[in-house]
Amino acid sequence: MIVRIVQSFIAYLVLSVGTFLMLRMIIDYSSFQTNIHFLEFKQEYLHIPIWKTAFYIHVFSSILALAAGFTQFSAHFLHHYRRAHKLIGKIYVVDILIINFPVGLIMGAYANGLWPSKLAFILLDCLWFYFTYKALVKVKKGDIAAHKRYMIRSYALTFSAITLRTWKVILLQTFHPDPLTLYMIDAWMGFVPNLLFAEWWIYRSSRKFIKTRYTNTAKITR
């Protein structure tokens, strides 16, 4: 029980810090200055209306998907605030499937770092769409267990907004790569480890569930 509380505390602490930093960045972007943060490295694309529009839509809307992590994985919240859970879930799905998927494809096509980076971001965007869509389909069919698994995968990719920037700092401080190499490596590191962790978490949770069922069944049959 204590381990579970500590794990939840650490998870919410990391999410809180990451969300706070993202909000600070969004506030900076709300000034629409074109020489700050990420835009410093995209000066050659600022004259392209479709890219610039996609960028600002992504910046101002993706925070909604990230913030969903504060509620959607809480059993307590689901049990006591079921209607709110469904509403936030709908916002999350619309935010990804309808808003961020198309703009993500545009940004991926214009990504720095040549084709390895472009491929990474387009793959990330397609997987993000697929996992979120599958989570929606499963919950509509009443398959809650599968819904949870796909939502874990979906949110692992949502969280890449934070891990992408974290790995950039780590790689830059540790290996000092040139900007082009850094961007290509970071594009993959931003989401692949997240997915691996999600699959491990799903596998671990399934093992614990099976073990608990076996234990309870054994007690009943004694």
Side-chain angles (χ1 to χ4, degrees):
M1 183 66 178
I2 295 177
V3 174
R4 191 172 181 179
I5 292 173
V6 172
Q7 289 176 339
S8 297
F9 173 77
I10 293 173
Y12 278 105
L13 178 62
V14 172
L15 180 57
S16 296
V17 172
T19 303
F20 172 73
L21 294 175
M22 290 294 292
L23 281 172
R24 285 189 58 184
M25 191 177 299
I26 289 172
I27 292 172
D28 290 342
Y29 283 131
S30 65
S31 67
F32 292 98
Q33 296 181 39
T34 57
N35 60 343
I36 58 174
H37 302 308
F38 176 70
L39 291 178
E40 290 186 81
F41 308 99
K42 305 295 290 187
Q43 294 297 306
E44 68 271 28
Y45 296 129
L46 293 176
H47 69 285
I48 304 175
I50 190 172
W51 181 88
K52 194 172 182 180
T53 301
F55 170 78
Y56 280 112
I57 290 175
H58 178 67
V59 165
F60 295 135
S61 65
S62 59
I63 190 66
L64 296 176
L66 184 64
F70 285 106
T71 60
Q72 299 308 87
F73 297 99
S74 169
H76 173 82
F77 187 86
L78 173 60
H79 180 72
H80 293 281
Y81 306 98
R82 188 173 296 273
R83 291 181 64 182
H85 174 86
K86 289 183 178 180
L87 176 60
I88 295 171
K90 289 178 181 178
I91 294 172
Y92 180 88
V93 168
V94 169
D95 191 29
I96 294 173
L97 299 187
I98 298 178
I99 300 175
N100 273 288
F101 173 65
V103 300
L105 288 178
I106 294 170
M107 293 185 66
Y110 286 97
N112 295 334
L114 307 178
W115 71 264
S117 297
K118 298 179 190 297
L119 177 61
F121 285 117
I122 290 174
L123 178 61
L124 164 61
D125 197 43
C126 290
L127 289 174
W128 200 25
F129 179 93
Y130 175 75
F131 292 145
T132 307
Y133 174 75
K134 290 292 287 185
L136 175 63
V137 170
K138 292 299 182 182
V139 78
K140 284 185 174 294
K141 291 182 177 180
D143 190 346
I144 304 303
H147 168 72
K148 288 180 179 179
R149 291 194 295 270
Y150 279 111
M151 278 302 298
I152 289 171
R153 296 179 179 114
S154 173
Y155 195 76
L157 298 182
T158 300
F159 201 73
S160 66
I162 293 175
T163 53
L164 182 75
R165 291 161 178 82
T166 304
W167 277 112
K168 181 179 180 181
V169 174
I170 293 173
L171 292 169
L172 191 60
Q173 296 299 320
T174 306
F175 301 104
H176 310 289
D178 63 88
L180 188 62
T181 302
L182 172 64
Y183 206 85
M184 288 189 288
I185 296 173
D186 190 38
W188 291 94
M189 290 297 291
F191 76 96
V192 173
N194 294 25
L195 272 185
L196 293 176
F197 179 81
E199 292 302 328
W200 171 81
W201 186 267
I202 291 168
Y203 173 76
R204 176 176 174 270
S205 300
S206 299
R207 285 283 301 270
K208 286 177 67 176
F209 176 74
I210 294 171
K211 185 177 180 181
T212 302
R213 276 189 73 179
Y214 176 80
T215 303
N216 292 338
T217 303
K219 289 179 180 179
I220 293 172
T221 55
R222 283 176 186 172

